[in-house]
Amino acid sequence: MEQMNETLNDQIARLNDNEDADGLIRLIRQLPPDQLQQHQTALSEASESVFYIWLTDLQLGKIRQEDQDAVTAMLAELIQALEIVQPETPHHLMRALLYEQIADQQTAPVEKLAYIQRGIDEYTAGLQQRTNPEMQAKLAEALLNKMQHTQDYNEKDLTGILHLFQTAFISYSELILIYFLHGTFRLLNFPFDENNSWHHRFFAQLETDLKAFAAVDPYIYLEYVNILRRLLENELYQIPADYKTVLHKKIIALLEPLKDYETESEQRLNHLGQAFEKVAEGIEDHTTRLNFYRAALSFFTQGQQINPAAWTFPVYATNVLMEMARIDTPDKVIPLFEQGKALFALTYTYGPDFTLMHYWGKFLIEYARQAYNFQAPDILKEAEEKLLSAKQLGNGFYDQPYRGLAKVALKLGNKQQCLDILAECKKVFTTDYHEYEHSFVLADEDFKEIWPDLNH
């Protein structure tokens, strides 16, 4: 009996690993009740995992159009099989999500609306049984879908949708924040006269809720900024240019108080540094931009102090230092690069790493460029040393060290050595199925001198 249990557990694990929905459906249907009960947890977790993997592939357009109907039918059967395993649990959320996906696949307006409504019905049925913030937010989204489809933008329904988002966001959840924020901006693009006023009404409520959460933990504003920034960068919604400017200023204002945020969490320090660096890129005011880069640098160096062996913090910190060197006064360039050298050296004491050595070499090349216009043989030789180490540590899997070494050779005045290194690179990375091309070299102005040699 013990062996049978282990075999069945292995089978469930294999089906899960292989994302085999059909196999799970067949297994569940053939198992006797006692086995279903005994392995309920494993079967449930595997079925839900496989369901969401396939559903996500559908949502991301990874399934060929001609196969989408078959996949949605398979997922419907998987829900039915899951209900055999968990007869006491109605899976309203999963059914609603599937109906919404099927609605997206429909071309006939009547069919699309019918599946949107079926999703709404499932969300509603689920919420009648128990309060679920995710389901409340998803119901609000579904009602927005229906409203967009019917073009019936009435005050009663909009008020109800706002209430759903509010009740879903009664405690902080980044997922609910994403749903709420995107719903808010969808309204801005709905074609009715009051779209702008409703957008701002939703937005004001969202920010009122956020303010209360951030009073407990200001880090919440960082998560909000990241979501808002990505929304703007990806241009998911048509937003007037003047309003974009307002939103960018809002992002800067929200991050400003976080400059002195204190934490011992490596992950939070990393996220804070990345956010300040990313926002700094879009700031026009010179002083504010430098201040944001300094904040990013501070978070990355704090992270290195906590975990000096991780390559991430010196690499991210030196990326910031290079940006600072480009915009700071000339007298600051050399000190900034010397600071970066010390950061790399600290992590190096814990052992060499391909990524560390590769970026160290790149950093030194940039040092030679910005501080000395490449008239710095000692720095270039040091870069060569780091890149040779990276080349060895890369074990023939990475072409970046070759390009770096070729650039060093060229800037040291050895054109033939540069060409020889690039020829070696091409030989190493050309296979029976693919001829390596020097596309990066041909796009890099530093190699302009040898472009004619590579084109022959």
Side-chain angles (χ1 to χ4, degrees):
M1 184 58 123
E2 182 69 24
Q3 183 62 39
M4 285 181 61
N5 291 342
E6 291 176 357
T7 301
L8 185 53
N9 283 331
D10 290 342
Q11 186 178 359
I12 295 168
R14 175 175 53 78
L15 293 170
N16 188 11
D17 292 342
N18 294 338
E19 300 165 15
D20 188 350
D22 286 327
L24 279 167
I25 293 166
R26 287 194 298 270
L27 177 63
I28 290 169
R29 287 175 175 171
Q30 72 185 24
L31 284 175
D34 62 324
Q35 289 287 300
L36 289 171
Q37 180 65 32
Q38 186 175 352
H39 298 277
Q40 185 184 58
T41 300
L43 288 167
S44 299
E45 290 177 352
S47 297
E48 290 183 15
S49 172
V50 171
F51 174 88
Y52 283 110
I53 289 170
W54 278 97
L55 181 65
T56 301
D57 285 348
L58 279 169
Q59 292 168 336
L60 295 177
K62 294 183 178 181
I63 307 298
R64 293 179 304 180
Q65 188 170 358
E66 60 267 29
D67 295 331
Q68 289 179 3
D69 288 344
V71 172
T72 53
M74 176 184 71
L75 292 181
E77 288 189 58
L78 186 56
I79 294 173
Q80 292 172 354
L82 185 55
E83 289 177 341
I84 295 173
V85 179
Q86 299 176 318
E88 73 290 349
T89 306
H91 295 82
H92 293 295
L93 178 60
M94 295 172 73
R95 287 188 182 278
L97 292 170
L98 184 57
Y99 284 139
E100 288 190 310
Q101 177 57 38
I102 297 172
D104 288 341
Q105 295 169 203
Q106 303 306 307
T107 54
V110 173
E111 291 295 318
K112 183 180 289 288
L113 182 58
Y115 279 107
I116 291 173
Q117 186 59 55
R118 291 177 77 173
I120 289 170
D121 293 342
E122 289 290 340
Y123 288 132
T124 303
L127 289 170
Q128 287 173 347
Q129 293 184 334
R130 65 184 181 92
T131 301
N132 181 312
E134 181 183 356
M135 205 175 292
Q136 287 172 322
K138 291 299 293 180
L139 175 56
E141 276 194 335
L143 290 169
L144 284 173
N145 291 339
K146 181 180 179 180
M147 181 175 285
Q148 187 175 19
H149 188 79
T150 61
Q151 303 283 290
D152 181 12
Y153 305 105
N154 64 82
E155 182 173 355
K156 179 182 176 183
D157 288 344
L158 286 165
T159 302
I161 291 168
L162 177 57
H163 179 70
L164 279 167
F165 277 129
Q166 283 181 261
T167 52
F169 208 36
I170 200 165
S171 59
Y172 181 74
S173 159
E174 187 176 355
L175 181 62
I176 305 302
L177 172 58
I178 292 170
Y179 293 148
F180 199 167
L181 187 62
H182 281 273
T184 296
F185 276 90
R186 286 184 67 186
L187 287 171
L188 193 61
N189 290 168
F190 280 2
F192 69 112
D193 292 340
E194 293 80 26
N195 63 344
N196 194 58
S197 62
W198 276 102
H199 161 74
H200 286 290
R201 183 173 169 183
F202 273 56
F203 207 2
Q205 183 60 54
L206 181 149
E207 293 206 314
T208 297
D209 295 339
L210 270 176
K211 186 176 181 180
F213 300 140
V216 178
D217 184 1
Y219 185 82
I220 284 170
Y221 274 140
L222 181 84
E223 296 173 341
Y224 174 45
V225 161
N226 285 336
I227 298 164
L228 183 57
R229 179 176 53 79
R230 286 193 293 268
L231 181 149
L232 293 171
E233 288 177 354
N234 295 331
E235 298 184 344
L236 298 176
Y237 307 98
Q238 294 178 0
I239 303 172
D242 57 344
Y243 189 33
K244 279 186 179 180
T245 301
V246 170
L247 292 170
H248 282 299
K249 289 180 179 178
K250 179 188 290 290
I251 285 171
I252 294 169
L254 287 168
L255 274 187
E256 189 78 37
L258 290 173
K259 285 180 180 176
D260 299 320
Y261 186 85
E262 296 182 2
T263 178
E264 294 294 314
S265 165
E266 289 181 49
Q267 184 182 57
R268 286 198 169 193
L269 288 167
N270 186 19
H271 290 169
L272 284 158
Q274 289 180 338
F276 273 91
E277 179 186 8
K278 191 68 179 177
V279 172
E281 293 172 4
I283 296 175
E284 294 182 2
D285 179 73
H286 180 269
T287 302
T288 305
R289 189 176 187 186
L290 264 179
N291 285 337
F292 268 59
Y293 277 134
R294 291 190 185 105
L297 178 63
S298 174
F299 288 124
F300 289 139
T301 53
Q302 287 177 62
Q304 187 183 36
Q305 291 166 12
I306 293 171
N307 184 2
W311 64 260
T312 49
F313 291 115
V315 168
Y316 296 159
T318 51
N319 284 340
V320 171
L321 285 166
M322 287 189 286
E323 292 300 323
M324 292 173 67
R326 291 186 180 100
I327 64 174
D328 214 334
T329 54
D331 61 300
K332 300 289 180 60
V333 173
I334 291 175
L336 287 170
F337 277 99
E338 288 296 322
Q339 183 180 353
K341 286 177 62 177
L343 296 176
F344 276 117
L346 173 60
T347 296
Y348 180 71
T349 60
Y350 292 84
D353 171 272
F354 165 78
T355 305
L356 182 76
M357 303 309 290
H358 163 57
Y359 279 99
W360 197 350
K362 284 184 64 177
F363 178 79
L364 291 167
I365 292 174
E366 195 63 22
Y367 187 2
R369 179 206 306 280
Q370 291 196 44
Y372 302 102
N373 194 27
F374 287 119
Q375 303 306 305
D378 289 346
I379 295 175
L380 289 170
K381 283 290 186 182
E382 189 179 354
E384 181 182 45
E385 174 193 333
K386 310 310 177 192
L387 291 165
L388 283 170
S389 177
K391 178 184 173 184
Q392 182 180 6
L393 291 165
N395 292 319
F397 289 105
Y398 305 98
D399 63 346
Q400 297 96 323
Y402 292 86
R403 296 201 302 271
L405 287 165
K407 184 177 292 190
V408 168
L410 187 62
K411 296 307 176 183
L412 285 171
N414 197 330
K415 178 180 176 181
Q416 188 55 53
Q417 184 183 6
C418 170
L419 292 170
D420 290 344
I421 293 170
L422 292 176
E424 179 190 358
C425 178
K426 183 167 185 173
K427 182 178 179 181
V428 169
F429 293 99
T430 293
T431 68
D432 293 338
Y433 309 101
H434 168 73
E435 183 178 356
Y436 182 86
E437 297 179 356
H438 292 296
S439 56
F440 289 101
V441 173
L442 292 170
D444 187 339
E445 291 285 334
D446 288 341
F447 288 102
K448 193 170 184 178
E449 178 186 344
I450 63 160
W451 285 353
D453 300 272
L454 294 178
N455 286 325
H456 292 301

